[in-house]
Amino acid sequence: MTTARFLAGCMLALGALGQALPALAAGYPERAIRLIVPTSPGSTADVVARVVAESLGKELGQALIVENLSGAAGIPGTRQLVSARPDGYTLGMVSSNHAINPSLYRSMPYDAVRDVTPISIIGTTPLVLVVAQDSPYRSIGDLLQAARAQPGKINYGSSGTGSVLHLAGELLKAKAGIDMMHIPYRGGNALITDVMSGQVQTAFLAVPSVVAQIQAGQLRALAVSTPQRVPVLPGVPTLDESGVRDYSYDAWIALIGPAGLPADIVRQLQAATQQTMRAPQVTGTLGPQGFVSLGSSTRHADDTLAAEIARTRTLVSAAGIAPE
């Protein structure tokens, strides 16, 4: 065989391969998709994932099977995700903890950036600073005044050291120039109970987890963590408008896949996610709970992950939170 004929044969083979690949992608998905959620059942991320999975499955034409793999700040579950074959049949729904963990743990079994393929930020969860209904603090001004008068005496709770709720509290301390004592819990349910009873004086909590208690008068909301007011709590001011200038902190939830996920599958998943997050059944279910639907571009998801990892490192360092 001459060199020319050999090269011509190679070109034909490559051309046939190039035609075959889009055909494979066009058939995706051909079976159910495993959706790993590395948090416990009933958590905000889990509730959101199940609502989104149902509608996203309809959009894709195949079911998304939610699998909770909780524990250790979501690391074991995410490890299973990044170890999966990058064929689009194993995806993950991760929260802000994914960007926090690299600053907290000396040794991670995966790289939070290199070992994943961000697909879309599906939405964000505003936080709200709350106190018991019979608390003497009737406004954020009351709380800050007391904290300045009694440095280190007022406590605030969180769902754990290095959690979103902990970092939100540390950011408040830094922005407002106050000192409060941190009380970490293992999860949010016991924390909510203890804030309602007054055993813990204040805490940042995810709006979806406490909007019912606030509306029922069981908790008093002092301020929300976002630059704009939250539609389900229209009477609650932002921290920024309450005098804590430039305060902005919320949680986010993202759809990701393992590294190496083919670009055409990523595009298909992102487009389907964007449509899903606009669907009335999703916005109508999650919106009244305080969840802000996005369905962002893949570029935005990439940028958000990088920016959140950098911001978390700064917060953890400034607060002196010791890595585990």
Side-chain angles (χ1 to χ4, degrees), residues 32-50:
I33 298 169
R34 179 190 186 198
L35 182 64
I36 294 175
V37 180
T39 60
S40 58
S43 64
T44 298
D46 174 64
V47 171
V48 170
R50 291 179 185 278

Side-chain angles (χ1 to χ4, degrees), residues 22 29 36 75 84 90 108 114 158 161 179 222-223 232 243 259 282 290 303:
I36 294 175
I75 293 174
T90 302
M108 292 274 290
R114 290 196 302 270
S158 82
T161 299
D179 183 23
L222 301 184
V232 295
V282 172
D303 292 346

